[in-house]
Amino acid sequence: MHHFHYRAGELHAEDVPVRILAERYGTPLYVYSYQTLRRHFQAYETAFDGYPHVTCFAVKANSNSAILRLFAKMGGGADIVSGGELFVALKAGIPSQKIVYAGVGKTDDEIAFALRSKILMFNVESENELREIDKVARRMQTKAPIALRINPDIDPGTHPYITTGMKKHKFGIPIEMALEYYRLAAKLGNVFVVGVHTHIGSQITTVSPFVDALERVLRLIDDLAARGVSLRYLDVGGGLGITYQNEVPPDPQDLAKGLMPLLKGRNLTLITEPGRSIVGNAGILVTRSLYIKKGVDKKFLIVDAGMNDLIRPSLYDAYHNIFPVVKRKRKKAVYDVVGPICESGDFLARGREMPIVRQGEYLAVMSAGAYGFSMSSNYNSRPRAAEVLVKGEKHFLIRERETYDDLVRYDRIPPFLR
Ligand SMILES: *Cc1c(COP(=O)(O)O)cnc(C)c1O
């Protein structure tokens, strides 16, 4: 469900024609729908209503401050994977006591920052990290709340690049070794065990892998309880999929229906870490067609958004619908939709049948709200796109378009070259 629809042949973001936004703010342009963001966040709150829970939005999916502020106002927390994300989340007003911190490569500085900020817990990914957090906490004369990120060895049936919970992955602690690591944590003087964490992958389109993972983790929780270790937080991660093309993913209600029966009677606080399923379909990338180029045996539609703006097609071979912003009666053609970047891998779609596109018209790349802007770069010295939030008939610039000056802002010419 989202609020991008055609009205009288024009694609609207809520009540605003996307064409108006493109003319006003330029392209490439990320456009988000406030109502959609709200609805998707609220879906998690409603699904787990009645059970103690915190919805910790995965900041890496979209780290715009205005969007984080919205979730903060709705009672949301944050799942972070770096000191930078901690900074952004705190600035946006997310309470530190609702922030959980995962990631395999936390540095001492990042650990100290999180300890000073008094986050809810560290989701620890290895033995050496556990020892390092203990060391930093000792230096700071404090104690670090920790959960172990357990790798339950579940194949969620998604793209290999976004599968994270199998033995071959760098993430988490193999479930066979979990008891040993919890024993170690109990021995360390400056960490205290508060929870357990899993995150098995992303763009998962069935509930069963979540249920399988939870069953394994609950067995671990029971084993720990038998050894006198009681946990307060159960963090089941994120990973629910969205519709890009014709997937029919479960919604948070379906997820809750799968998980809640297993949690009945347990005295735990449930943490979820949704990213894509909240913001993915709440954003589009608006681009303008620059040239239609006839190749020997294919047609290239060259647009002004490239892999530096949206890398998902290049990186994951991801599918995004691409629609003309203004509908017209026209024939169809097959295009490779490509960007201006000097890489053969710079494409938004390949072999795509779509209405014949005119030079200069606007197109909407759908479902671009997650891992879109947050993965964008300045490659080919391209200033990053602007971001706009639409609320009803109103629209707000929530990130300015970068300028050419921004491209050289941090460069320094050494004296011998002056
Ligand atoms: C990326 C990530 C998420 C969010 O995943 P989505 O598929 O966007 O819901 C949650 N938790 C952790 C630890 C992650 O790395």
Side-chain angles (χ1 to χ4, degrees), residues 58-114:
V59 173
K60 74 177 190 287
N62 191 312
S63 50
N64 184 282
S65 299
I67 290 173
L68 297 180
R69 172 67 58 89
L70 166 62
F71 299 149
K73 290 204 161 201
M74 295 180 74
D79 159 48
I80 58 160
V81 293
S82 71
E85 287 191 353
L86 175 55
F87 179 84
V88 173
L90 291 172
K91 272 262 182 211
I94 293 175
S96 62
Q97 271 301 300
K98 291 185 181 176
I99 295 179
V100 294
Y101 184 3
V104 296
K106 303 176 185 84
T107 66
D108 281 11
D109 283 349
E110 290 176 314
I111 293 165
F113 179 24

Coordinates of all heavy atoms in Angstrom, one line a residue, residues 58-114:
A58 N 15.4 0.5 10.9 CA 16.8 0.3 10.4 C 17.3 1.5 9.7 O 16.9 1.7 8.5 CB 16.9 -1.0 9.6
V59 N 18.1 2.3 10.3 CA 18.5 3.6 9.8 C 19.2 3.5 8.4 O 19.1 4.4 7.6 CB 19.4 4.4 10.8 CG1 19.9 5.6 10.2 CG2 18.6 4.7 12.0
K60 N 19.9 2.4 8.2 CA 20.6 2.3 6.9 C 19.7 2.3 5.7 O 20.1 2.6 4.6 CB 21.5 1.1 6.9 CG 20.9 -0.3 6.7 CD 22.0 -1.4 6.7 CE 21.5 -2.7 6.3 NZ 20.7 -3.4 7.4
A61 N 18.4 1.9 5.9 CA 17.5 1.9 4.8 C 17.2 3.3 4.3 O 17.0 3.5 3.1 CB 16.2 1.2 5.1
N62 N 17.1 4.2 5.2 CA 16.9 5.6 4.8 C 17.2 6.5 6.0 O 16.5 6.4 7.1 CB 15.4 5.9 4.4 CG 15.2 7.2 3.8 OD1 15.7 8.2 4.3 ND2 14.6 7.3 2.6
S63 N 18.2 7.3 5.9 CA 18.7 8.0 7.1 C 18.4 9.5 7.1 O 19.0 10.3 7.8 CB 20.2 7.8 7.3 OG 20.9 8.1 6.1
N64 N 17.4 9.9 6.3 CA 17.0 11.3 6.2 C 16.5 11.7 7.6 O 15.6 11.1 8.2 CB 16.0 11.6 5.1 CG 15.7 13.1 5.1 OD1 14.9 13.6 5.9 ND2 16.3 13.7 4.1
S65 N 17.0 12.9 8.1 CA 16.6 13.3 9.4 C 15.1 13.5 9.6 O 14.6 13.3 10.7 CB 17.3 14.6 9.8 OG 18.7 14.4 9.7
A66 N 14.5 14.1 8.6 CA 13.0 14.3 8.7 C 12.2 13.0 8.8 O 11.3 12.9 9.6 CB 12.5 15.1 7.5
I67 N 12.7 12.0 8.1 CA 12.0 10.7 8.2 C 12.2 10.1 9.5 O 11.3 9.5 10.1 CB 12.4 9.9 7.0 CG1 11.8 10.5 5.7 CG2 12.0 8.4 7.1 CD1 12.3 9.8 4.4
L68 N 13.5 10.2 10.0 CA 13.7 9.6 11.4 C 12.9 10.4 12.4 O 12.5 9.8 13.4 CB 15.2 9.7 11.7 CG 16.1 8.9 10.7 CD1 17.6 9.0 11.2 CD2 15.8 7.4 10.7
R69 N 12.8 11.7 12.2 CA 12.1 12.5 13.2 C 10.6 12.1 13.3 O 10.0 12.0 14.3 CB 12.1 14.0 12.8 CG 11.3 14.9 13.6 CD 11.7 15.0 15.1 NE 13.1 15.5 15.2 CZ 13.4 16.8 15.3 NH1 12.5 17.7 15.3 NH2 14.7 17.1 15.4
L70 N 10.0 11.8 12.1 CA 8.7 11.3 12.0 C 8.5 10.0 12.9 O 7.6 9.9 13.7 CB 8.3 11.0 10.6 CG 7.0 10.2 10.4 CD1 5.8 10.9 10.9 CD2 6.8 9.9 8.9
F71 N 9.4 9.0 12.7 CA 9.3 7.8 13.4 C 9.6 8.0 14.9 O 8.9 7.4 15.8 CB 10.3 6.7 12.9 CG 10.1 6.4 11.4 CD1 11.1 6.0 10.6 CD2 8.8 6.4 10.9 CE1 10.9 5.7 9.3 CE2 8.6 6.1 9.5 CZ 9.7 5.8 8.7
A72 N 10.5 8.9 15.2 CA 10.7 9.3 16.6 C 9.4 9.8 17.3 O 9.1 9.4 18.4 CB 11.8 10.3 16.8
K73 N 8.7 10.6 16.5 CA 7.5 11.2 17.1 C 6.4 10.1 17.2 O 5.5 10.3 18.0 CB 6.9 12.3 16.2 CG 7.8 13.5 16.2 CD 7.0 14.8 15.8 CE 7.8 16.0 16.3 NZ 7.0 17.2 16.4
M74 N 6.5 9.0 16.5 CA 5.5 8.0 16.6 C 5.9 6.9 17.6 O 5.3 5.9 17.7 CB 5.3 7.3 15.2 CG 4.7 8.3 14.2 SD 4.5 7.5 12.6 CE 3.1 6.4 12.9
G75 N 7.0 7.2 18.3 CA 7.5 6.3 19.4 C 8.5 5.3 18.9 O 8.8 4.3 19.7
G76 N 9.1 5.5 17.8 CA 10.0 4.5 17.2 C 11.4 4.7 17.8 O 11.8 5.7 18.3
G77 N 12.1 3.5 17.7 CA 13.5 3.5 18.0 C 14.4 3.4 16.8 O 13.8 3.5 15.7
A78 N 15.6 3.0 16.9 CA 16.5 2.9 15.8 C 17.4 1.7 15.9 O 17.9 1.4 17.0 CB 17.3 4.1 15.6
D79 N 17.6 1.0 14.8 CA 18.6 0.0 14.6 C 19.8 0.6 13.8 O 19.5 1.1 12.7 CB 18.0 -1.2 13.9 CG 19.1 -2.1 13.3 OD1 20.1 -2.4 14.0 OD2 19.0 -2.5 12.1
I80 N 20.9 0.7 14.4 CA 22.0 1.4 13.8 C 23.2 0.5 13.6 O 23.3 -0.6 14.2 CB 22.5 2.6 14.7 CG1 23.0 2.1 16.1 CG2 21.4 3.7 14.8 CD1 23.9 3.1 16.8
V81 N 24.1 0.8 12.6 CA 25.2 0.0 12.3 C 26.5 0.8 12.3 O 27.5 0.3 11.8 CB 25.0 -0.8 11.0 CG1 23.9 -1.8 11.1 CG2 24.7 0.1 9.8
S82 N 26.5 2.1 12.8 CA 27.7 2.9 12.8 C 27.6 4.0 13.8 O 26.4 4.4 14.1 CB 28.0 3.4 11.4 OG 27.1 4.4 11.0
G83 N 28.7 4.6 14.1 CA 28.7 5.8 14.9 C 27.9 7.0 14.2 O 27.2 7.7 14.8
G84 N 28.1 7.0 12.9 CA 27.4 8.1 12.1 C 25.9 7.9 12.2 O 25.1 8.9 12.4
E85 N 25.4 6.7 12.1 CA 24.0 6.5 12.3 C 23.5 6.8 13.7 O 22.4 7.2 13.9 CB 23.6 5.0 11.9 CG 23.7 4.8 10.4 CD 23.1 3.4 9.9 OE1 22.7 2.6 10.8 OE2 23.0 3.2 8.7
L86 N 24.3 6.5 14.7 CA 24.0 6.9 16.0 C 23.8 8.4 16.2 O 22.8 8.9 16.7 CB 25.0 6.4 17.0 CG 24.8 6.8 18.5 CD1 23.5 6.3 19.0 CD2 26.0 6.2 19.4
F87 N 24.7 9.1 15.6 CA 24.7 10.6 15.6 C 23.4 11.1 15.0 O 22.7 11.9 15.5 CB 25.9 11.1 14.9 CG 26.0 12.6 14.8 CD1 26.4 13.4 15.9 CD2 25.5 13.3 13.7 CE1 26.5 14.7 15.8 CE2 25.5 14.7 13.6 CZ 26.0 15.4 14.7
V88 N 23.1 10.6 13.8 CA 22.0 11.0 13.0 C 20.7 10.7 13.7 O 19.7 11.5 13.8 CB 22.0 10.3 11.6 CG1 20.7 10.6 10.8 CG2 23.2 10.8 10.8
A89 N 20.6 9.5 14.3 CA 19.4 9.0 15.0 C 19.1 9.9 16.3 O 18.0 10.4 16.5 CB 19.5 7.6 15.4
L90 N 20.2 10.2 17.0 CA 20.1 11.0 18.2 C 19.6 12.4 17.8 O 18.7 13.0 18.4 CB 21.4 11.1 19.0 CG 21.8 9.8 19.7 CD1 23.2 9.9 20.3 CD2 20.8 9.4 20.8
K91 N 20.3 13.0 16.8 CA 20.0 14.3 16.3 C 18.5 14.4 15.9 O 17.9 15.5 16.0 CB 20.8 14.7 15.1 CG 22.1 15.3 15.4 CD 22.0 16.8 15.3 CE 23.4 17.4 15.6 NZ 23.3 18.7 16.1
A92 N 18.0 13.3 15.3 CA 16.6 13.3 14.9 C 15.6 13.2 16.0 O 14.4 13.3 15.8 CB 16.4 12.2 13.8
G93 N 16.1 12.9 17.2 CA 15.3 12.9 18.4 C 14.9 11.5 18.8 O 13.9 11.3 19.6
I94 N 15.6 10.5 18.3 CA 15.3 9.1 18.8 C 15.9 8.9 20.1 O 17.1 9.1 20.3 CB 15.7 8.1 17.7 CG1 14.9 8.2 16.4 CG2 15.6 6.7 18.3 CD1 15.3 7.4 15.3
P95 N 15.1 8.5 21.1 CA 15.7 8.3 22.5 C 16.8 7.2 22.5 O 16.6 6.2 21.9 CB 14.5 7.9 23.3 CG 13.3 8.1 22.5 CD 13.7 8.1 21.1
S96 N 17.9 7.5 23.1 CA 19.0 6.5 23.1 C 18.6 5.2 23.7 O 19.1 4.2 23.3 CB 20.2 7.1 23.9 OG 19.8 7.3 25.3
Q97 N 17.6 5.2 24.6 CA 17.2 4.0 25.2 C 16.3 3.1 24.3 O 15.8 2.1 24.7 CB 16.4 4.3 26.5 CG 17.3 4.3 27.7 CD 18.1 3.0 27.9 OE1 17.5 2.0 28.1 NE2 19.4 3.1 27.9
K98 N 16.1 3.6 23.1 CA 15.4 2.8 22.0 C 16.4 2.5 20.9 O 15.9 2.3 19.7 CB 14.2 3.6 21.5 CG 13.1 3.7 22.6 CD 11.9 4.3 22.0 CE 10.7 4.4 23.0 NZ 9.6 5.2 22.4
I99 N 17.7 2.6 21.1 CA 18.6 2.4 20.0 C 19.4 1.1 20.2 O 20.0 0.9 21.3 CB 19.6 3.6 19.9 CG1 18.8 4.8 19.4 CG2 20.7 3.3 18.8 CD1 19.6 6.1 19.3
V100 N 19.4 0.2 19.2 CA 20.2 -1.0 19.2 C 21.3 -0.9 18.2 O 21.0 -0.4 17.1 CB 19.3 -2.3 19.1 CG1 18.4 -2.4 20.3 CG2 18.5 -2.2 17.8
Y101 N 22.4 -1.5 18.5 CA 23.6 -1.2 17.6 C 24.2 -2.6 17.1 O 24.8 -3.3 17.9 CB 24.6 -0.4 18.5 CG 25.9 0.0 17.8 CD1 26.1 -0.2 16.4 CD2 26.8 0.7 18.5 CE1 27.3 0.2 15.8 CE2 28.0 1.1 17.9 CZ 28.2 0.9 16.5 OH 29.4 1.3 15.9
A102 N 24.0 -2.9 15.8 CA 24.6 -4.1 15.2 C 25.8 -3.7 14.3 O 26.2 -2.5 14.3 CB 23.5 -4.8 14.4
G103 N 26.3 -4.7 13.7 CA 27.4 -4.4 12.7 C 28.7 -5.2 13.2 O 29.0 -5.2 14.4
V104 N 29.4 -5.8 12.2 CA 30.6 -6.6 12.6 C 31.8 -5.8 12.9 O 32.8 -6.4 13.4 CB 30.9 -7.7 11.5 CG1 29.7 -8.6 11.3 CG2 31.2 -7.0 10.2
G105 N 31.8 -4.6 12.6 CA 33.1 -3.8 12.7 C 33.1 -2.6 13.5 O 33.5 -1.5 13.1
K106 N 32.5 -2.7 14.7 CA 32.4 -1.5 15.6 C 33.8 -1.1 16.1 O 34.6 -1.9 16.6 CB 31.5 -1.8 16.8 CG 30.1 -2.3 16.5 CD 29.3 -2.6 17.7 CE 28.0 -3.2 17.4 NZ 28.0 -4.7 17.1
T107 N 34.2 0.2 15.9 CA 35.5 0.6 16.4 C 35.4 1.1 17.9 O 34.3 1.3 18.4 CB 36.0 1.8 15.6 OG1 35.1 2.9 15.9 CG2 36.0 1.5 14.1
D108 N 36.6 1.2 18.5 CA 36.6 1.7 19.9 C 35.9 3.0 20.1 O 35.1 3.2 21.0 CB 38.0 1.8 20.4 CG 38.6 0.5 20.8 OD1 38.0 -0.5 20.5 OD2 39.7 0.5 21.4
D109 N 36.1 3.9 19.1 CA 35.5 5.2 19.2 C 34.0 5.1 19.1 O 33.2 5.8 19.8 CB 36.0 6.1 18.0 CG 37.3 6.7 18.3 OD1 37.8 6.5 19.5 OD2 37.9 7.2 17.4
E110 N 33.5 4.3 18.2 CA 32.1 4.1 18.1 C 31.5 3.4 19.3 O 30.4 3.8 19.8 CB 31.8 3.2 16.8 CG 32.1 3.9 15.5 CD 31.9 3.0 14.3 OE1 32.3 1.9 14.3 OE2 31.2 3.5 13.3
I111 N 32.2 2.5 19.9 CA 31.7 1.8 21.1 C 31.6 2.8 22.2 O 30.6 2.9 23.0 CB 32.6 0.6 21.5 CG1 32.5 -0.5 20.4 CG2 32.3 0.1 22.9 CD1 33.6 -1.5 20.5
A112 N 32.6 3.7 22.4 CA 32.6 4.7 23.4 C 31.5 5.7 23.2 O 30.8 6.0 24.2 CB 34.0 5.4 23.4
F113 N 31.2 6.1 22.0 CA 30.2 7.0 21.7 C 28.8 6.4 22.1 O 28.0 7.0 22.7 CB 30.2 7.3 20.2 CG 29.1 8.3 19.7 CD1 28.5 9.2 20.5 CD2 28.8 8.3 18.3 CE1 27.5 10.0 20.0 CE2 27.8 9.1 17.8 CZ 27.2 10.0 18.7
A114 N 28.6 5.1 21.8 CA 27.4 4.4 22.1 C 27.2 4.3 23.6 O 26.1 4.4 24.2 CB 27.3 3.1 21.4

